[in-house]
Amino acid sequence: MTVATFTCGASPRYVQGDGFPHGGLSEDVLGIGAAITADRPGFFRALAEGASGEGASEAMIGWVERGFLATGPRASETLAGLATLDQCDLLASFAFPVLSIGGAKDSIADPAIAGFAANCAANGTLLTMDTGHSPQLENPSAYNEALLDFVRTLAQ
């Protein structure tokens, strides 16, 4: 059986647009490339701190930061692509179950995006966790249990 899971994602959109009042503005996203060019280590350090969640250990932040720093030179282009990303039609075409997990305290991706994704999918389910951008890092036990619960409901 095919299923999809989105976790604090930027799908189906990341920036505001027609019929989508959530997220940031295109011009803010387009500024990411300049921010990376101006101070790549500083930008990715700040992103790692935000993505790691409240109270994250230095070891966790450092691990996430190293992952960001290991990205190639096209990371800026990839992130800039979020300014025009629109996968609403694609998501609506999924006939299989979709679990959209959002962090209520997410400061990177608007938490409302997760609800929009669940509603956009033909067979979507929303789960909001009391976390920031990375519930799989902030509360891995609850995150894993939520995934297992979702799969168990499908197996019934």
Side-chain angles (χ1 to χ4, degrees):
M1 168 185 269
T2 301
V3 299
T5 302
F6 300 116
T7 301
C8 296
S11 187
R13 291 184 60 111
Y14 186 70
V15 298
Q16 298 172 16
D18 290 339
F20 190 81
H22 317 294
L25 303 175
S26 294
E27 51 268 20
D28 296 334
V29 173
L30 293 174
I32 290 173
I36 293 173
T37 299
D39 183 7
R40 183 180 175 87
F43 177 86
F44 285 128
R45 174 62 186 199
L47 186 59
E49 289 171 349
S52 297
E54 291 180 11
S57 68
E58 179 54 39
M60 176 64 72
I61 296 168
W63 179 76
V64 173
E65 178 183 19
R66 287 188 299 280
F68 288 146
L69 288 170
T71 60
R74 295 196 59 204
S76 297
E77 293 173 40
T78 301
L79 290 170
L82 293 173
T84 58
L85 177 76
D86 187 340
Q87 298 176 322
C88 292
D89 291 342
L90 176 64
L91 182 54
S93 75
F94 292 172
F96 47 83
V98 172
L99 175 61
S100 182
I101 302 172
K105 301 175 191 171
D106 193 339
S107 62
I108 295 173
D110 183 341
I113 294 173
F116 185 88
N119 289 329
C120 189
N123 189 8
T125 300
L126 171 64
L127 171 64
T128 302
M129 296 185 70
D130 189 31
T131 65
H133 188 66
S134 303
Q136 72 279 16
L137 301 178
E138 295 174 60
N139 194 342
S141 296
Y143 179 84
N144 291 336
E145 191 58 37
L147 289 176
L148 289 172
D149 286 346
F150 181 68
V151 171
R152 285 182 196 117
T153 63
L154 298 175
Q156 296 176 354

